[in-house]
Amino acid sequence: MKKLWMFGCMLALAACSRKSPGNKVLLLPSAGSTETMIAAVKASAEANGWELVEGNKSYLHPDSLQHFRTIVSNWSYPDSLDHRQINALQRYLEAGGTWAVMKDSSFKVKGWPWLDALADNDQVFMGAPEEAERILTKAGDEASGLDYAACSTPAIPENNRYTYTMLAQGLDEPLQLAVLPGNDVMFAERKGAVRLYRAREKDVITLAQFNVYSGLEDGLLGVALDPEFDKNHWVYFYYAVGGDAPVSRLTRMEMRDQRLLHETEKTLLEIPTQRKHCCHSAGYIEFGPDKLLYLSTGDNTNAEETEGYTPVDERPGRELADDQATSASSADLRGKILRIRPKADGTYEIPDGNLFPKDGSKGRPEIYVMGCRNPFRFTVDRKNQYVYWGDVGPDTKVPGSEGTISYDEVNQARKPGFFGWPYFLGENEALPKWDFATKTEGPKQDPAKPINSSPNNKGVKELPPAQGAMIWFGDGPSAKFPLVGKGGQSVMAGPVYYADQFKNAEYKLSDYYDGKLLIYDWVRRWIMAVTFDENHNYLRMEPFLDHLAPAAPIDLRFADDGAIYMIEYGTNWFSRNMDARLVRITYAAGNRRPVAGIGADRLTGPAPMAVKLSAEGSSDPDRQDQLHYSWNVDGKDYSDSAMSHTFAKPGVYKVLLTVTDDHKAFDTASIYIKAGNTPPDVQITTTANSSFYWDNMQFPYKVTVTDPEDGTIAAEKVAVGFNYIPYGRDMAGALTQGGAMPTPKGKELFYSLDCKACHTENTVSVGPSLMDVAAKYERNEKNTALLADKVIRGGSGVWGNRPMSAHPAMAVEEAKVIVDYILSLRSSGASLPAEGAIALKEHIGKSASGVYLLTARYTDKGANGIEALTGQQFIMLRHPKLEAEERDTDQNIRFVNWISQLLSYGVANDGSSFVFKNIDLGGISRARFRVQLQGAGGTLELRTGAKDGPVAATLKVPAGDKGEWVELTAPVKATPGRQDLWFVFSNPGQGALFNIDWTLFENGK
């Protein structure tokens, strides 16, 4: 009797937890919903006394779905849903909700296997559209209410459960981080600094400055802690060694009492490199769960002279342009992921299971993965030891399954292998072998039996079978992986999250993410969570932390407490950035932490400087909580949400805000106020169109610079550069061409030698600052020769009695390059005058993907003890053809990718729209549109500023049913100045109107 009584109680409790089904029905109409079907649904609801609510995708949220007994839609409706809406639908059905489904087509979106099996689910009632009344009645009758406690699928956490805390900012090219016990964070900066964020002190200190070669993409690239760091205190680094010898080095040293002990440094491995051509160094370090050390290396070859193919140049003297000598060579350690077992004495041994035998008979035994281009970020799965990595791809003109074969890849290595480069990309799509001597395409390789017959290959000729990528995408929209977006890309991988490895962690993520791999893109600035099936094959991806907009994420790590530490490299390449940050992201399952946010009406200016500070940017996701504020500003404490503070003297001041909720949960934020110097304001103006270029167009421009401290600024002190960039992908190569930047080769030499021991750019050290030298000597041939001689011979007396070291082994030309770099810091080496006109001719006959880039930059003199600050501006001109699929945002418009025809287009409906942001219509007289007459026809309006903004052009498109593609023209009202450009489609009462491929703007000349 006792057991029966307990069983009865359990049934009663279950019944109590189930919510009453209520009398509401949710109708989700779509393009496939016929008027007959909708009428039948309405009739069924009325007959049963149910309230019919006609909704949309936004209703697929637990807060809304809890009010409905059943959902009505077409079977294809999930095609249009995002990951959160799919999750809400799945949990609604698991909780006991019902779904009345009208057959209209097969479900197409991949990655949600449970949807494919729903026809057999007793919560789903399916039938033909003409059966709608019967189907809804049955679904509604079977509804028994919702019990979300019965769900087996975890809910996707709301974004407001994450707290984003900036720990440090203004970093100088941070690359990799390592989380120490106690949540101190060590990170490496490319130019050689090893820095430590101290969690208790909430500050950043410099632990060491490596002597590195930081030209091209080299420098201090990787840092990792030994798996037994708490016992042996070992830290591993990978860096390009400063000096003349082109070599990169994997080393180990001890860290004790927040000090790196250089005398303990031991070299495990050295890798010869070349430093003449850009690019690709990789250099990431990670230990696997087996305590083996993995190191990634880039192909380290000439990436700039490939003629639209891959670097396989076998001509004599072109060895540095042949990836068959590095990535595809078993005798070379570049273009690889290496795997070794470090030993206590600072050497290493080869573990079992690498790609080649331990005796080196077929290749370097350190190689685990080969055939990589730039495996910049990887991770080792903590459970199965699979290796995942992002490989940054090339720019080619070779047609592929999606655009050109210019793919970035995310790869999965379950075992050692060859992953294709430079012969294959993506799903083993073969690239023809380009003959650089005859300018002809050769045959493609067989991925099952790739052969490296290059005369530059010193390894085996017969390579292992090529392994295809797990995820791949180019710079255009991807049909297979649509969430990745479009544009430039640099994809990265890691880590994999396992909930059971953070059982008692304070900030452990939701179990929803158990087993998911995090990937992220440095250029596109997204993070994705990748889900695998039961066989560890790719299943789907979905946005992760999509409410954040990280400034170029470049490393992600989990701490033992479950928090995510992330490095954001920042906006500008090869420079210190104010938005280069170390951040901490924590997840709260219960009470959520508040978010501290500081607003300031100014960050820099002359002293004394009054600054209005506000905490209005702070928030708490638990809306019932009250926030309490605590400020520390210039040594004074405040408790108001807003106030004003005057910084009386020049200096750099840290402003700290702590926000606490009613449950004592808190968050902190900080900013730096610099009183005494104002960044220069650089402006470029033009009377021409500032968005597009046309053949033989003259582009007039004028650069103006204002700086309160410097006063009148001579035009020759402003750096103005202009370049045509045929491909936007490998910006590292473009930036190292010089132009408006200080001479890069001289900077490389300076920082690779001992010069930096006595001189810094902005402050006096043993010797004068470089800025002081540049201010004293005008940049001309005479002074360059004078100072170059002094660099070689040494000297004293000009800047005091401290002698300047001689460099007798330095070549005269090298010394001149260094001096030219130093003097360029003031004159900026402007290659163009501050005002002029440029003929745009370089794009003629080339790809429409090329852009012109006009840049202007000025570095001020510094003031009142505040370092010199730089202001810069640029104008980028693009081809005047706007492909519809490359729009920035859209509303209610569907895009079709016709892979076999290399065609993408938008299917316009009444009320749909898409937007290209920041477009200048100045000087444009008309627009040509390529449209397909397939539908009811209608009106396309170009509107500026907003969807209902002023009309700049109107196009009437006739109806059609034969699918004919035509080009139609409409006059454009020229509206100078950049605004968002809206494409708005209309024909009231109609569905599909027509299809649109592209728009070409013409300037009437």
Side-chain angles (χ1 to χ4, degrees):
M1 290 295 293
K2 183 176 181 181
K3 289 184 178 179
L4 288 175
W5 178 83
M6 290 178 64
F7 182 68
C9 287
M10 290 171 66
L11 290 177
L13 287 172
C16 290
S17 65
R18 184 171 294 278
K19 179 181 174 65
S20 169
N23 73 332
K24 288 186 177 183
V25 172
L26 176 61
L27 171 62
L28 298 172
S30 62
S33 303
T34 65
E35 293 183 9
T36 302
M37 186 202 86
I38 293 175
V41 168
K42 290 180 177 178
S44 174
E46 184 176 355
N48 287 282
W50 300 327
E51 179 186 350
L52 186 68
V53 177
E54 188 169 331
N56 53 40
K57 291 183 289 186
S58 66
Y59 280 70
L60 291 172
H61 186 280
D63 290 348
S64 299
L65 291 179
Q66 65 177 326
H67 303 295
F68 294 99
R69 67 186 302 130
T70 193
I71 298 172
V72 188
S73 77
N74 291 325
W75 178 229
S76 64
Y77 192 80
D79 281 342
S80 65
L81 304 181
D82 65 23
H83 64 296
R84 291 187 179 277
Q85 293 156 352
I86 287 281
N87 178 259
L89 175 60
Q90 182 177 10
R91 285 174 51 81
Y92 173 79
L93 296 174
E94 290 176 356
T98 61
W99 188 14
V101 180
M102 310 306 152
K103 294 180 180 178
D104 64 336
S105 65
S106 298
F107 182 72
K108 296 178 182 179
V109 173
K110 304 299 181 183
W112 305 93
W114 64 274
L115 276 169
D116 296 328
L118 281 183
D120 300 321
N121 188 302
D122 60 8
Q123 301 298 117
V124 178
F125 303 88
M126 187 177 297
E130 55 268 23
E131 301 178 277
E133 188 170 355
R134 179 185 65 83
I135 296 300
L136 174 55
T137 298
K138 187 168 180 59
D141 287 344
E142 292 294 325
S144 58
L146 302 177
D147 177 15
Y148 274 94
C151 294
S152 59
T153 300
I156 301 177
E158 297 292 336
N159 283 333
N160 59 25
R161 290 200 170 275
Y162 298 94
T163 298
Y164 174 99
T165 304
M166 184 174 66
L167 305 179
Q169 66 174 347
L171 309 180
D172 191 358
E173 295 193 80
L175 294 185
Q176 185 173 0
L177 65 86
V179 185
L180 281 67
N183 288 337
D184 287 355
V185 183
M186 182 187 299
F187 57 94
E189 294 183 328
R190 192 178 67 86
K191 297 182 184 71
V194 182
R195 310 191 72 192
L196 182 71
Y197 169 77
R198 300 190 296 181
R200 180 184 300 176
E201 293 84 357
K202 291 183 170 54
D203 64 5
V204 175
I205 63 173
T206 300
L207 294 177
Q209 176 68 49
F210 277 79
N211 178 23
V212 301
Y213 166 77
S214 60
L216 305 177
E217 293 180 355
D218 273 328
L220 176 58
L221 303 177
V223 58
L225 304 182
D226 190 272
E228 297 183 352
F229 173 80
D230 57 337
K231 298 177 182 178
N232 57 35
H233 308 285
W234 291 341
V235 185
Y236 295 80
F237 298 95
Y238 183 71
Y239 61 97
V241 181
D244 297 331
V247 64
S248 292
R249 182 178 291 164
L250 175 67
T251 69
R252 187 195 80 195
M253 66 176 63
E254 290 185 24
M255 176 184 174
R256 296 182 183 274
D257 300 323
Q258 298 186 351
R259 293 178 56 244
L260 280 172
L261 307 178
H262 284 276
E263 63 273 16
T264 67
E265 184 175 14
K266 294 182 180 296
T267 298
L268 282 78
L269 178 66
E270 286 194 342
I271 301 177
T273 62
Q274 63 83 21
R275 296 176 177 176
K276 294 183 179 179
H277 301 285
C278 187
C279 294
H280 312 142
S281 302
Y284 199 68
I285 314 171
E286 183 171 307
F287 278 90
D290 50 7
K291 299 183 180 180
L292 298 182
L293 183 150
Y294 295 73
L295 166 68
S296 68
T297 60
D299 62 1
N300 187 225
T301 50
N302 187 339
E304 301 165 3
E305 300 172 350
T306 61
E307 300 179 8
Y309 291 87
T310 57
V312 289
D313 195 341
E314 298 178 358
R315 293 174 294 175
R318 299 287 296 171
E319 296 83 4
L320 301 185
D322 187 3
D323 263 3
Q324 298 171 111
T326 59
S327 295
S329 174
S330 65
D332 196 286
L333 294 181
R334 292 170 292 178
K336 311 291 194 300
I337 296 179
L338 311 178
R339 188 175 73 156
I340 61 175
R341 186 186 305 279
K343 298 172 65 175
D345 63 0
T347 61
Y348 68 90
E349 60 186 14
I350 304 299
D352 294 335
N354 278 2
L355 185 57
F356 298 112
K358 292 184 179 181
D359 63 6
S361 57
K362 292 187 177 181
R364 291 293 298 263
E366 297 91 347
I367 297 172
Y368 187 75
V369 164
M370 65 182 296
C372 303
R373 184 175 185 263
N374 192 14
F376 196 68
R377 290 290 176 266
F378 68 87
T379 192
V380 184
D381 192 300
R382 311 306 296 177
K383 288 198 171 181
N384 54 38
Q385 295 181 208
Y386 294 169
V387 180
Y388 298 96
W389 71 97
D391 206 344
V392 182
D395 282 306
T396 80
K397 61 183 180 184
V398 180
S401 62
E402 293 191 348
T404 58
I405 305 180
S406 303
Y407 309 139
D408 275 27
E409 298 179 339
V410 177
N411 289 286
Q412 178 196 66
R414 303 186 185 191
K415 59 182 181 180
F418 172 61
F419 281 79
W421 180 256
Y423 307 121
F424 315 98
L425 278 174
E427 203 170 26
N428 272 343
E429 292 184 50
L431 295 118
K433 188 172 182 180
W434 180 246
D435 189 317
F436 286 84
T438 63
K439 309 302 181 187
T440 58
E441 288 188 2
K444 297 179 180 179
Q445 293 253 23
D446 178 1
K449 296 181 179 180
I451 302 296
N452 184 351
S453 58
S454 170
N456 302 312
N457 173 31
K458 293 181 173 57
V460 297
K461 290 187 177 181
E462 297 182 9
L463 301 177
Q467 307 298 306
M470 182 178 73
I471 299 168
W472 63 96
F473 55 92
D475 54 8
S478 171
K480 192 169 184 66
F481 308 101
L483 290 180
V484 299
K486 57 187 175 62
Q489 70 260 40
S490 286
V491 71
M492 306 182 187
V496 181
Y497 177 78
Y498 287 110
D500 61 3
Q501 295 179 347
F502 299 92
K503 286 183 179 179
N504 300 313
E506 183 179 1
Y507 305 114
K508 66 170 292 187
L509 296 184
S510 162
D511 288 351
Y512 176 82
Y513 292 105
D514 186 39
K516 289 179 170 57
L517 165 71
L518 299 183
I519 64 173
Y520 47 106
D521 194 287
W522 185 49
V523 174
R524 298 185 185 180
R525 303 187 176 193
W526 49 245
I527 307 172
M528 299 282 180
V530 174
T531 300
F532 301 97
D533 66 16
E534 64 276 8
N535 297 317
H536 302 288
N537 297 315
Y538 171 85
L539 188 62
R540 66 176 183 271
M541 70 172 69
E542 61 197 60
F544 178 65
L545 301 176
D546 49 331
H547 62 301
L548 302 180
I554 202 165
D555 196 19
L556 287 177
R557 291 277 177 172
F558 284 103
D560 290 341
D561 62 5
I564 298 172
Y565 286 85
M566 178 169 65
I567 284 179
E568 300 175 34
Y569 177 88
T571 301
N572 298 309
W573 299 53
F574 303 126
S575 67
R576 181 187 297 273
N577 292 291
M578 283 308 295
D579 59 352
R581 298 178 283 240
L582 172 66
V583 302
R584 183 171 182 249
I585 301 166
T586 55
Y587 173 74
N591 176 60
R592 285 166 281 189
R593 285 175 173 266
V595 178
I598 301 177
D601 65 339
R602 59 196 308 193
L603 296 177
T604 57
M609 180 172 67
V611 179
K612 294 180 180 178
L613 297 164
S614 170
E616 290 183 0
S618 305
S619 61
D620 193 311
D622 300 312
R623 287 172 288 183
Q624 70 276 12
D625 282 1
Q626 295 292 318
L627 293 182
H628 311 276
Y629 307 99
S630 175
W631 297 84
N632 184 272
V633 184
D634 194 12
K636 297 181 179 179
D637 295 325
Y638 300 89
S639 58
D640 297 327
S641 61
M643 79 290 187
S644 180
H645 182 86
T646 298
F647 298 89
K649 298 179 180 179
V652 178
Y653 299 89
K654 184 176 182 179
V655 173
L656 182 68
L657 169 66
T658 301
V659 178
T660 307
D661 68 11
D662 295 330
H663 303 276
K664 306 302 181 184
F666 66 91
D667 183 36
T668 60
S670 62
I671 61 172
Y672 288 90
I673 303 294
K674 295 184 177 182
N677 192 18
T678 308
D681 179 34
V682 180
Q683 297 291 331
I684 305 175
T685 57
T686 180
T687 56
N689 185 283
S690 62
S691 290
F692 305 112
Y693 59 77
W694 290 271
D695 290 357
N696 299 309
M697 166 184 166
Q698 287 287 320
F699 185 76
Y701 68 90
K702 182 178 182 180
V703 178
T704 57
V705 180
T706 56
D707 187 283
E709 288 78 28
D710 285 12
T712 302
I713 297 165
E716 63 270 16
K717 299 295 184 181
V718 182
V720 181
F722 184 75
N723 285 294
Y724 174 72
I725 304 172
Y727 301 102
R729 288 285 306 283
D730 238 329
M731 288 299 292
L735 289 177
T736 54
Q737 298 305 305
M741 304 299 176
T743 53
K745 185 61 178 176
K747 187 173 184 179
E748 293 166 18
L749 285 171
F750 177 86
Y751 282 101
S752 69
L753 301 173
D754 62 355
C755 311
K756 61 181 179 292
C758 298
H759 303 277
T760 65
E761 187 167 313
N762 296 306
T763 58
V764 176
S765 181
V766 175
S769 73
L770 303 188
M771 294 298 292
D772 287 340
V773 175
K776 184 177 181 66
Y777 297 94
E778 184 180 351
R779 189 185 187 190
N780 56 41
E781 188 174 342
K782 178 181 177 181
N783 285 337
T784 299
L786 171 69
L787 295 179
D789 182 70
K790 182 164 290 191
V791 169
I792 295 171
R793 295 175 181 271
S796 63
V798 178
W799 303 95
N801 296 322
R802 183 70 180 255
M804 176 181 175
S805 299
H807 300 83
M810 183 179 294
V812 173
E813 289 306 313
E814 286 188 337
K816 285 184 176 181
V817 168
I818 291 175
V819 170
D820 190 55
Y821 153 64
I822 296 171
L823 299 186
S824 76
L825 295 174
R826 281 294 184 191
S827 67
S828 300
S831 57
L832 289 177
E835 183 174 1
I838 305 166
L840 306 183
K841 297 180 180 180
E842 290 188 57
H843 68 277
I844 298 175
K846 298 178 182 177
S847 167
S849 64
V851 298
Y852 288 100
L853 188 65
L854 176 67
T855 60
R857 189 174 86 165
Y858 174 73
T859 300
D860 68 17
K861 301 174 183 177
N864 298 307
I866 304 299
E867 76 272 15
L869 301 176
T870 299
Q872 55 187 352
Q873 182 62 275
F874 71 91
I875 290 179
M876 186 177 73
L877 303 177
R878 61 189 293 180
H879 193 279
K881 178 189 282 188
L882 299 182
E883 299 282 354
E885 71 271 14
E886 295 180 357
R887 79 285 179 201
D888 291 304
T889 60
D890 61 69
Q891 295 179 355
N892 302 318
I893 186 168
R894 181 167 61 93
F895 282 84
V896 174
N897 294 308
W898 193 359
I899 301 300
S900 63
Q901 301 294 320
L902 296 177
L903 177 64
S904 299
Y905 57 85
V907 181
N909 299 286
D910 178 47
S912 62
S913 62
F914 60 81
V915 181
F916 282 90
K917 293 184 177 180
N918 209 24
I919 297 296
D920 182 2
L921 294 181
I924 294 175
S925 59
R926 57 188 170 273
R928 187 178 302 276
F929 304 85
R930 185 172 189 258
V931 296
Q932 186 180 34
L933 307 183
Q934 187 71 42
T939 302
L940 165 58
E941 293 179 323
L942 299 187
R943 291 178 174 264
T944 56
K947 189 174 183 178
D948 59 354
V951 176
T954 302
L955 179 73
K956 300 290 185 180
V957 179
D961 57 7
K962 296 182 180 179
E964 178 186 5
W965 284 99
V966 299
E967 293 184 17
L968 304 177
T969 302
V972 174
K973 180 181 179 182
T975 51
R978 288 176 175 260
Q979 299 185 68
D980 290 351
L981 183 61
W982 287 74
F983 288 64
V984 182
F985 305 89
S986 62
N987 190 346
Q990 301 297 322
L993 307 182
F994 55 89
N995 301 331
I996 180 167
D997 184 10
W998 49 254
T999 303
L1000 177 65
F1001 290 114
E1002 300 175 354
N1003 66 351
K1005 295 181 181 179

